[in-house]
Amino acid sequence: QVQLVESGGGSVQAGGTLRLSCVVNGPGFADFAVAWIRQGPGKEREGVSCVSFTGDHKYYDDAVKGRFTISRDNSKNTVHLQMNSLKSEDSAMYYCAATNRICTLWDLERYTYWGQGTQVIVSS
């Protein structure tokens, strides 16, 4: 059974930083592409960033490109999202999700496993 556990959310002022972590418990981590997906108040879910199985390929939504960095450590079954220069519009619940398919920021239905989420609040 695969379980994803996020941590690292919190409240920060605009311009601040946070580092989110996602630990994937269970077999087959190296076979998963992992994404960070967020949902703000009254908004639909949106893919923020994803990383391929090996970590060689990384993708970012235009809204976060240049500010967020995704990384994975296959030896620790962990994926991180470093978030710099945070803006109020980044406020959302952030979920990590895993798929055995190629990572994507648009077809969120392909993500089979989801964590419970970690809240990020950015005040201006």
Side-chain angles (χ1 to χ4, degrees), residues 14-86:
T17 65
L18 284 173
R19 188 184 192 219
L20 305 185
S21 297
C22 172
V23 177
V24 180
N25 296 312
F29 176 74
D31 297 328
F32 290 130
V34 178
W36 286 97
I37 295 159
R38 68 186 181 187
Q39 186 167 23
K43 298 182 180 180
E44 295 188 354
R45 295 180 307 179
E46 59 178 354
V48 173
S49 181
C50 66
V51 60
S52 62
F53 313 121
T54 60
D56 291 343
H57 302 285
K58 303 174 183 179
Y59 303 93
Y60 299 93
D61 183 78
D62 286 345
V64 306
K65 201 171 293 183
R67 301 187 296 120
F68 291 10
T69 303
I70 193 169
S71 61
R72 68 185 292 159
D73 184 342
N74 283 1
S75 69
K76 297 182 179 178
N77 285 21
T78 301
V79 175
H80 298 289
L81 185 68
Q82 178 68 40
M83 306 189 297
N84 299 332
S85 302
L86 283 161

Side-chain angles (χ1 to χ4, degrees), residues 82-122:
Q82 178 68 40
M83 306 189 297
N84 299 332
S85 302
L86 283 161
K87 304 176 181 179
S88 57
E89 51 263 45
D90 295 319
S91 295
M93 184 69 81
Y94 282 71
Y95 302 90
C96 67
T99 178
N100 291 116
R101 300 172 63 184
I102 295 173
C103 80
T104 175
L105 299 182
W106 299 278
D107 179 16
L108 302 184
E109 298 304 318
R110 70 173 53 184
Y111 289 95
T112 307
Y113 306 102
W114 291 72
Q116 294 298 308
T118 186
Q119 185 76 49
V120 171
I121 299 173
V122 184

